Amino acid sequence: MSESADIPRNLRAVHARIEMAAREAGRDPSKVTLVAVGKTMPAERIAEAIAAGQRSFGENRVQEAEAKWPALRSGQPGIRLHLIGALQTNKVAKALEIFDVIETLDRPRLAQALAREMERSGLRRECFVQVNTGAEPQKAGVMPDAADAFIRHCIDALNLPVTGLMCIPPVDEEPSLHFAFLREIARRHGLVNLSMGMSADYPIAVAFGATHVRVGTAIFGHRI
Ligand SMILES: *Cc1c(COP(=O)(O)O)cnc(C)c1O
């Protein structure tokens, strides 16, 4: 499966669908960044995507990214690496070294740790606040009714460089409701970036204003 994925062809196909969805929604396709999710994929497969011109990538674990990315990004200008998985406070320093964007800012203790470490290291990385739009107990993300206060706290009290929001809708619900909801929260706070949409629903996310879609399987094939 992942062995047989034709990565350059898949990238072209995903870009074509993004472009079509953007045009149908009256949006500029260049305002949508494809974040290729390479979690669990061996470095050689990711290198194929880089060779095909892909520049933004997502990983969900700090340790895995630390093992793969220093070599992958060396000599490759313009690579942007997004953290899309849960971040433990004891890995904040490492995460700021490896990642360009932290998409999973979702609780006060993490916000505090990020603010402190950014101040200490001087590594001010863009952050997206993850919102648990479906209020699912087992899922990460700030709960919807706490989102407004948390976003203000991160920006106003902690001076964190929050530029957007991220969500992962419940698997068996209509994603567009969640995308519209996330867009509305972002609008209230003047946040320009919306990270939403995965392999199953990224064209819908683009229609609802996604600036970043996180796509793994449709590019790299099924994870083992
Ligand atoms: C794995 C993952 C993705 C990509 O999922 P696919 O369905 O393979 O496209 C997107 N976002 C997050 C947060 C993920 O963990």
Side-chain angles (χ1 to χ4, degrees):
M1 306 276 268
S2 84
E3 287 72 29
S4 63
D6 183 337
I7 291 168
R9 191 196 60 190
N10 290 347
L11 279 168
R12 284 194 300 276
V14 172
H15 276 295
R17 286 189 73 191
I18 289 172
E19 181 156 338
M20 194 186 303
R23 292 202 190 290
E24 276 172 10
R27 300 186 58 206
D28 176 356
S30 74
K31 296 291 194 303
V32 184
T33 299
L34 172 59
V35 177
V37 176
K39 66 185 184 198
T40 79
M41 290 296 155
E44 308 81 71
R45 311 259 48 206
I46 296 171
E48 290 178 46
I50 296 173
Q54 179 62 28
R55 283 298 173 268
S56 289
F57 290 89
E59 289 283 347
N60 67 337
R61 286 165 190 252
V62 175
Q63 252 168 333
E64 185 181 344
E66 190 184 5
K68 291 194 301 202
W69 278 96
L72 276 172
R73 79 191 294 169
S74 83
Q76 301 286 352
I79 298 280
R80 300 263 297 164
L81 195 57
H82 293 235
L83 177 62
I84 61 168
L87 178 55
Q88 295 166 255
T89 49
N90 64 356
K91 297 217 172 92
V92 158
K94 190 56 78 181
L96 291 177
E97 282 173 28
I98 298 170
F99 291 95
D100 302 284
V101 182
I102 308 291
E103 294 204 16
T104 50
L105 170 52
D106 67 348
R107 59 197 191 279
R109 248 170 59 80
L110 177 59
Q112 181 74 52
L114 280 166
R116 197 175 293 151
E117 186 58 27
M118 282 186 196
E119 177 74 22
R120 195 198 63 79
S121 65
L123 299 171
R124 277 182 73 75
R125 307 301 194 200
E126 229 174 288
C127 295
F128 298 172
V129 168
Q130 181 178 357
V131 182
N132 186 353
T133 57
E136 296 172 277
Q138 82 288 3
K139 201 172 259 180
V142 61
M143 286 293 171
D145 60 1
D148 288 313
F150 180 65
I151 292 163
R152 292 313 336 153
H153 173 70
C154 290
I155 297 171
D156 300 336
L158 297 176
N159 188 30
L160 282 168
V162 174
T163 65
L165 303 180
M166 180 270 230
C167 77
I168 309 168
V171 281
D172 43 15
E173 283 183 31
E174 172 57 44
S176 58
L177 303 173
H178 295 269
F179 298 154
F181 181 54
L182 196 72
R183 177 175 63 185
E184 202 42 50
I185 302 172
R187 185 174 292 159
R188 282 207 285 279
H189 295 279
L191 299 170
V192 293
N193 290 313
L194 281 174
S195 174
M196 51 193 203
M198 308 181 13
S199 290
D201 55 19
Y202 67 90
I204 303 170
V206 170
F208 280 83
T211 60
H212 296 75
V213 291
R214 310 175 308 268
V215 179
T217 311
I219 297 169
F220 295 107
H222 287 285
R223 291 177 285 272
I224 309 121

